[in-house]
Amino acid sequence: MSGGTAGWIARAGAPLRGRVRVPGDKSVSHRAIMLGALAEGTTRITGFLEGEDTRATARVFEQLGVRIDAPGPSERIVHGVGLHGLRAPSGPLDCGNAGTGMRLLAGVLAGQAFDSTLVGDASLSKRPMRRVTEPLARMGARIDSAPGGLPPLRVRGGQSLRGIDYETPVASAQVKSAVLLAGLYADGETTVREPHPTRDYTERMLVAFGWPIEFAPGVATLSGGHVLRATDVHVPADFSSAAFFLVAASVVPGSELTLEAVGMNPRRTGLLAALRAMGADIAETNAGEQGGEPVADLVVRHAPLHGIEVPEALVPDMIDEFPALFAAAACARGRTVVRGAAELRVKESDRIATMAAGLRALGIVVDETPDGADIVGGAIRAGTADSHGDHRIAMALAVAAQRAVGDVRIGDVANVATSFPGFVALARSAGMGLAETG
Ligand code: S3P
């Protein structure tokens, strides 16, 4: 992993005030590179997330023969090669820390004429891939994995794919997207049905690139044999990055912070409902649209929070926000109950275990269950907490530390650069107490 630092010292800072604009959406940035590469013509991306994950995806497409220019920060010009224009890579394709990159690429590569191998870092190498290799195999793909269905993935080229009607056992936008992307190369119709609707960026972006697709919450259908036509993509600010500021400003007395032009796709904003149920004061202003996605400014003012039972139906809409929610729960009065969130155990870290361990190290009572946790809010003490190399755990612990009585040392934070480059500077500019220890 490049960039970042080994550790942070986080402590109570000033009230969070002013206006901040968080970086571009990770999910949208990955997909913009992918569809831009497979399109005919030149795609201009603005608001691109300059994170390690999304840069890894861009590098993979460069290895596959796609020219991608970076005329300025957060800008990319993707010179599309068309659906059948990718070239065989000369070595393994490194997705870094990115589950989204690897799983969506598995779908794209399953339809190519050449062999390829997808590899990742230590964390990604432990994440389950059978959830994508299994449906792709049903479509006719040949993908070998390491024992246990783990990376690396060796994708054999030259297979003819056929459309399937697939019901995903887990609510996963990555699985849905892998199958739909393979469906671009398949004979006939591909349908994906989900147990709960997940983020629909792949579907929306296919429409923007001119590919016929029908979709509604929980189901999407397309057929192979069409053409992607280049278009410009404007990436909204990432709600998942804004989440840390929503919680920090909610729990630090005196705060009043505006988060500008945040992506408000309803499949992403479950945390808003959860925080409001806990008593948070978050207003939406300047609602509009950017690149076909709803955006709004979020104005968050300090408010005393209380524990809640997080409705299980909200879980997929806030799947990346549980580290932030755990931090909010630690600062709330009473008990917060999370259930139905077993997927957290197979994210960049086991997020139930790593958040529980981190908060316990700071004096908070957390009881784990297989699919969630009970968190009892209380006084946060000084201490040392480990992020286990998980970007969102590091940032969530830094947020909890804003209410600590002393210094909180947070280790292994380099991977914050995967999703939120510049987090420390932005957090400090808003008032948070946070320093790099090198
Ligand atoms: C993502 C989907 C989610 C999410 C991840 C990004 C995507 O994963 O956790 O950060 O861009 O499709 P799952 O689909 O595995 O839930």
Side-chain angles (χ1 to χ4, degrees), residues 24-34 48-49 53-54 57 100-101 104 173-174 177 199-202 205 233 235-240 265 267-268 319-320 392 418-419:
D25 188 278
K26 185 152 69 71
S27 295
V28 176
S29 296
H30 279 297
R31 287 159 171 83
I33 293 284
M34 292 181 187
F48 179 72
L49 170 65
D53 278 11
T54 43
T57 289
T100 307
L104 271 59
Q174 294 179 356
S177 301
R199 66 193 72 188
D200 55 2
Y201 298 123
T202 303
M205 211 181 280
V233 179
V235 183
D238 198 320
F239 183 89
S240 295
N265 184 305
R267 299 278 75 84
R268 296 291 302 285
I319 193 64
D320 291 336
R392 299 202 206 284
T418 62
S419 71

Side-chain angles (χ1 to χ4, degrees), residues 16 64 127 151 194 364 381 433:
L16 284 85
L64 294 166
R127 296 183 64 189
E194 311 179 276
I364 298 297
R381 62 175 189 233

